Amino acid sequence: MGFSTFKSANKLITGQTALEYLLPAITQFNIKKPLIISDQGVVKSGTILHVLNLLNVEYSIYDAVKPEPELEQVQDCIEFYHQHKNDAVIAVGGGSALDIAKCVAALAGQSGHVRDFVGTDKIGSRNIALIVIPTTSGTGSEVTNIAILSDTKNQMKQGIVSDFLLPDVAIVSPLMSVSCPATVTAASGVDALVHAIEAYISVNHSDITDALALQAIALIVEYLPQAYALPSNLIAREKMATASLMAGLAFGNAGVGAVHALAYPLGGKYKMAHGVSNALMLPYVLKWNVIGCAERLSNIAKVLKLGQSHLHTENAEKLVEFLHKFCRQLNIPASLRDFSIQEEDLPALAAEAIKVERLLKNNPRQLSVDDIEAIYREAYAA
Ligand SMILES: NC(=O)c1ccc[n+]([C@@H]2O[C@H](COP(=O)([O-])OP(=O)(O)OC[C@H]3O[C@@H](n4cnc5c(N)ncnc54)[C@H](O)[C@@H]3O)[C@@H](O)[C@H]2O)c1
Ligand SMILES: [Fe+2]
């Protein structure tokens, strides 16, 4: 029926020696003075040196990206880019640094404010080379055409969606995530799991995104606990880096759904880390979704060898139960009460979440504002 398109970064380099591709990429794009965009965690851990020690060109560093960064930080960084007369962007960081870098590369050559580009297909071109090196596993931002930034004015996370945000080169090395703090490993790892599950049950899934999503789910369930338990486990880090990239390709093309839509207001209003808000909402939204995608959830349960019943709903329920335990094992809180959220705030959260139509339209069950409030209530009462 119809057709589907498949989008990715132009070139993907993966594996333990992937960073060796950085210099050839710099030569290929004739880069003379790149701007390295990063953050304090990556700099203080020394992980940035894996990149800086390789560079054979002059460069500048903007290392002030904040977690869950604000839209305005894009403007600040664009100013820095022009002041330092840079000619390309290299992102070294988690989703936060990558999203800022994607916007800087696409918008530094345009007139207007970053707020003018919020929404879908508002960017007309990009002529600045963009290389991304993720340090978390993760957001999958290295292969998606979206940047998600905080909008404090509206207490919401906003998406800028454009194919001009797709990087020229993504270099995905497990060496970059070894220094990730355990809480970040857990939260970003579950974010990748949510990407894969939501892509698999999305109404826009395809055979291509299904294959990527199912393999990503299997890898994450096996290797995320190992990476969390022993941060220096390079095999687990490599499998997670690949799984996160695969989940990014899956959701970058099939979309994510209600888990993300209900997580957005939690990030916007209560500054919860993206991975934590998604992990928290995951089992409650999936439980609600079962009647819309029992067979698909049952397929996931079968891949994970959780349930072999001939009844799809039984297997789907086993999956939901498993995901609860999986997140607890990683010490991610299970209840909205674990954050400074009051019960009387829930209707306002639901009123915000229903506005995230861009994602809710991908969900296998249509949700009303009352449904959403009921889901928040379950996540609160837990
Ligand atoms: N564009 C997309 O497709 C997409 C998808 C999902 C999420 N996101 C966005 O990405 C952001 C979250 O990104 P994230 O989960 O990767 O976390 P992050 O980039 O916000 O980083 C979290 C913390 O971990 C630290 N850190 C990261 N890597 C490290 C390393 N290797 N060593 C030491 N410290 C390290 C950072 O300094 C930071 O303090 C959110 O803003 C979210 O909305 C974007
Ligand atoms: Fe996400």
Side-chain angles (χ1 to χ4, degrees), residues 191 195 260 274 278:
D191 185 28
H195 293 157
H260 272 75
H274 177 82
N278 273 291

Side-chain angles (χ1 to χ4, degrees), residues 137-138 192 196 212 215-220 237-249:
S137 307
L212 289 160
Q215 178 66 0
I217 292 167
L219 287 173
I220 295 165
R237 291 293 191 185
E238 185 166 356
K239 296 289 186 187
M240 278 304 298
T242 308
S244 148
L245 182 149
M246 294 170 84
L249 289 171

Side-chain angles (χ1 to χ4, degrees), residues 6 25 94-95 125 163 192 207 239 265 268 277 327 332 341 351 367 371 376 379:
F6 190 81
S125 61
D163 289 353
D207 288 336
K239 296 289 186 187
S277 55
C327 293
I332 297 175
I341 299 174
L367 298 179
D371 296 335
Y376 279 134

